[in-house]
Amino acid sequence: MSDLKLYNTLSRQKESFEPITADHVGLYVCGPTVYSDVHLGNCRTFISFDIIYRYLRYLGYKVRYVRNITDAGHLEGDRDEGDDKFSKKARLERLEPMEIVQRYTVGFHKVMQLFNNEPPTIEPTATGHITEQIRMAQQIIDNGYGYVVNGTVYFDVEKYNKEKPYGILTNRKLEDLLEGTRELGGQDEKKGRLDFALWIKAGPEHLMQWPSPWGMGFPGWHIECSAMSEKYLGKQFDIHGGGMDLAATHHTNEIAQSQACYHTSPARYWLHTNMLTVNGVRMSKSAGNGFLPEELFSGSHPLLEKAYSPMNVRFFMLQTHYRSTLDFSNEALQAAEKGLKRLWDAYEKLMSWETGVGSQESGDKELDEKVRGLVAEFDEHMNDDFNTARVLASMFELVPIINSIKDKTIAITALSPDTVTLMQSKFKSYLEDVFGLKAVNEADNGKLQGVMQLLIDIRKEAKGKKDFATSDKIRNQLAELGITLKDEKGGEISWGIE
């Protein structure tokens, strides 16, 4: 169907894409853990796979895109003991764990909509598939790769490694992995230091637990994705994706579990997005340089000079290949903002041309061939491991030609009608359908900034006069409109769109 090549983390090289079933693609992407706001690193991964999903459909494939919601079993520090992140958050806020799950799942979906991500075709939850996870853990025990200690089921990594290389995804030997593993609490239960939990015994105080053949407990983090991908895509499917931070442990364990259970690797192609940096420093909460999406949209983070619209951020991400490090800076974001405006303005000029314009006998055959060649590069670059950056480079080479025709520096008769129609069709397909971009009204965005600053100033003045009724009214009525105000340290007030 296509000449698509993609970089397979498993083989560490580009490979021609051949789906298991002709014309169909099974795609699984590890989704968010919904105990807090989705962070920008997650957003980069989900935007990248949204574009991959869109492009596979553009090529004519029928795609089943499964992206899970992790709403149980993810422990603090990704270990096999301690409390899970949902229970911890629920206790802190005196809520039910599923209230935490609901709040952040809704928030995640809102952010995805702002970025114009299409929803997956299936979005299963871990808590909705407890039966499947128990069944898979039991099968792994029956096949000799799992063992039970005090109600917790562990995966025997060293036994598995005697038959299949455990570190195949990251090309690391078991000896090297063991050398880099420190002793942790609860290790005395395990046969080996790398063994991980498939099912974890829950104490009576644990807020999220289910009955199992081994007693009350909850699933290990890794088995969730293995059970859900098998249920909806089969024992082996085409593409498994996620952030590169998942490769060494989560995806490595997924491969081991599936091999131990079904005697086959879950996916034929493994795709991983790279990390984010800010001014050259890795983005993280501890470094104080981790933006939340709403902080980008409102400009409320201290490292940001202004607000950036979701489409500008999406376009900014498109300018870097998904496997490359993406560095955030005000300069880069503002350059992307200008670039998107320039490209979209040219696109609107192009689409305003009437159908059939041009000359049946092109007045400038060299220019006509150049344009057709640049347009043909769109598919060539995307077929080369979804290289959005190079597609944009080819588009920007066409911008001056479009502008010159609009300004009548170049006559429209320089191009044939077929070439003009091809340009219009491909620009629309790529900018809107594949890249998922929409027009940005910067004037409206600027007006919103001004209105919000005015309301914040009025609220500060009201609080200074101890007019708390007015202060609360502003905050509450904005909340009803989906805009939150946060009182920061030092008297500053930040805002964001929910």
Side-chain angles (χ1 to χ4, degrees):
M1 182 177 285
S2 71
D3 298 319
L4 177 62
K5 288 184 171 58
L6 43 79
Y7 183 87
N8 191 351
T9 306
L10 195 62
S11 64
R12 287 164 286 284
Q13 63 185 7
K14 287 181 186 176
E15 299 178 11
S16 294
F17 177 65
E18 296 179 8
I20 295 169
T21 303
D23 303 340
H24 290 70
V25 176
L27 169 64
Y28 187 93
V29 175
C30 293
T33 303
V34 286
Y35 72 98
S36 63
D37 292 312
V38 62
H39 61 75
L40 210 56
N42 288 146
C43 291
R44 193 217 181 164
T45 294
F46 301 138
I47 289 170
S48 296
F49 282 100
D50 179 61
I51 291 161
I52 289 169
Y53 171 45
R54 288 166 177 267
Y55 187 65
L56 289 168
R57 291 189 309 173
Y58 165 84
L59 291 177
Y61 291 110
K62 183 177 181 181
V63 185
R64 176 173 289 176
Y65 175 20
V66 183
R67 187 187 66 209
N68 72 296
I69 295 285
T70 296
D71 59 352
H74 203 156
L75 301 187
E76 287 290 322
D78 300 336
R79 298 196 297 269
D80 292 333
E81 73 285 335
D83 214 345
D84 71 62
K85 297 177 180 181
F86 306 95
S87 294
K88 182 175 181 179
K89 187 86 169 183
R91 285 197 180 93
L92 284 172
E93 300 195 19
R94 297 184 179 181
L95 297 170
E96 284 291 325
M98 294 312 289
E99 287 183 276
I100 298 297
V101 167
Q102 178 69 6
R103 177 201 300 173
Y104 292 112
T105 300
V106 169
F108 167 68
H109 288 149
K110 284 183 178 178
V111 170
M112 292 299 99
Q113 288 168 4
L114 287 170
F115 277 126
N116 201 30
N117 275 14
E118 294 197 356
T121 48
I122 302 175
E123 191 172 51
T125 63
T127 55
H129 295 78
I130 298 297
T131 301
E132 289 84 355
Q133 293 166 75
I134 290 173
R135 188 185 303 128
M136 187 172 186
Q138 184 62 60
Q139 187 62 54
I140 290 171
I141 293 171
D142 293 345
N143 290 352
Y145 298 100
Y147 59 94
V148 185
V149 181
N150 297 326
T152 293
V153 183
Y154 291 106
F155 186 91
D156 193 332
V157 171
E158 291 188 42
K159 181 176 181 180
Y160 170 82
N161 190 69
K162 290 176 182 177
E163 299 174 24
K164 297 282 184 181
Y166 172 68
I168 189 171
L169 188 62
T170 53
N171 197 29
R172 297 183 68 188
K173 294 182 179 178
L174 190 70
E175 298 76 32
D176 297 332
L177 292 168
L178 283 167
E179 193 174 317
T181 305
R182 58 192 177 91
E183 292 287 350
L184 295 170
Q187 291 282 2
D188 55 328
E189 286 192 347
K190 303 179 183 181
K191 291 181 181 178
R193 290 206 307 273
L194 290 173
D195 293 358
F196 57 91
L198 303 172
W199 184 265
I200 302 168
K201 179 182 179 180
E205 75 288 348
H206 199 90
L207 298 179
M208 301 179 81
Q209 53 180 287
W210 294 264
S212 79
W214 318 287
M216 296 299 292
F218 55 95
W221 173 36
H222 311 299
I223 201 167
E224 298 174 357
C225 287
S226 294
M228 289 185 280
S229 63
E230 188 277 331
K231 180 177 178 68
Y232 296 109
L233 297 174
K235 293 177 175 61
Q236 187 177 64
F237 52 94
D238 297 299
I239 300 172
H240 195 312
M244 67 179 296
D245 58 309
L246 299 179
T249 303
H250 184 52
H251 290 166
T252 290
N253 290 346
E254 279 192 66
I255 291 173
Q257 289 166 161
S258 294
Q259 286 277 14
C261 188
Y262 306 119
H263 309 294
T264 184
S265 182
R268 295 176 67 181
Y269 305 90
W270 290 80
L271 276 59
H272 292 94
T273 56
N274 211 324
M275 66 179 179
L276 304 183
T277 58
V278 180
N279 299 316
V281 179
R282 182 167 182 171
M283 183 180 284
S284 68
K285 286 183 181 178
S286 59
N289 65 354
F291 315 134
L292 290 174
E294 69 170 32
E295 291 175 318
L296 267 176
F297 305 155
S298 66
S300 59
H301 194 281
L303 291 178
L304 297 171
E305 294 176 1
K306 54 172 285 188
Y308 301 95
S309 76
M311 284 302 100
N312 284 329
V313 177
R314 185 179 178 100
F315 179 74
F316 170 69
M317 291 185 179
L318 284 164
Q319 291 180 301
T320 302
H321 190 271
Y322 76 91
R323 284 193 292 110
S324 299
T325 301
L326 178 63
D327 187 57
F328 275 79
S329 69
N330 284 286
E331 293 78 13
L333 285 164
Q334 288 166 28
E337 195 171 59
K338 292 174 183 174
L340 176 56
K341 186 178 186 309
R342 182 167 175 255
L343 183 60
W344 202 269
D345 286 348
Y347 170 54
E348 289 183 339
K349 290 173 187 173
L350 174 64
M351 298 307 290
S352 70
W353 297 349
E354 294 179 9
T355 304
V357 294
S359 171
Q360 292 297 339
E361 190 62 41
S362 169
D364 189 334
K365 285 195 165 107
E366 186 177 341
L367 179 65
D368 197 75
E369 287 177 9
K370 177 184 177 181
V371 167
R372 295 183 75 85
L374 287 168
V375 171
E377 288 178 359
F378 296 1
D379 287 0
E380 291 173 17
H381 296 324
M382 280 299 282
N383 282 337
D384 183 16
D385 195 29
F386 313 105
N387 200 327
T388 58
R390 293 190 66 187
V391 175
L392 288 175
S394 295
M395 283 185 165
F396 274 110
E397 282 195 59
L398 288 164
V399 168
I401 297 171
I402 295 168
N403 289 338
S404 294
I405 292 173
K406 178 67 176 177
D407 298 338
K408 299 186 178 177
T409 309
I410 298 175
I412 189 65
T413 52
L415 304 178
S416 69
D418 287 347
T419 298
V420 173
T421 300
L422 178 66
M423 286 176 72
Q424 291 175 326
S425 172
K426 285 290 188 177
F427 262 78
K428 185 179 189 309
S429 292
Y430 269 83
L431 287 180
E432 296 191 34
D433 301 334
V434 177
F435 290 170
L437 294 168
K438 298 188 295 185
V440 178
N441 191 328
E442 293 298 339
D444 287 350
N445 193 40
K447 288 174 186 175
L448 177 60
Q449 298 290 325
V451 169
M452 285 306 304
Q453 191 57 53
L454 176 62
L455 288 170
I456 287 171
D457 290 343
I458 292 171
R459 186 166 182 263
K460 280 183 179 178
E461 188 177 328
K463 289 181 75 175
K465 294 177 180 177
K466 300 192 183 301
D467 181 4
F468 298 115
T470 300
S471 172
D472 291 344
K473 183 178 180 181
I474 292 171
R475 183 193 61 209
N476 295 338
Q477 291 197 2
L478 284 173
E480 288 176 11
L481 296 171
I483 299 173
T484 57
L485 292 182
K486 292 182 182 179
D487 295 307
E488 310 284 358
K489 293 178 181 178
E492 292 301 311
I493 300 174
S494 63
W495 66 278
I497 301 173
E498 291 185 348

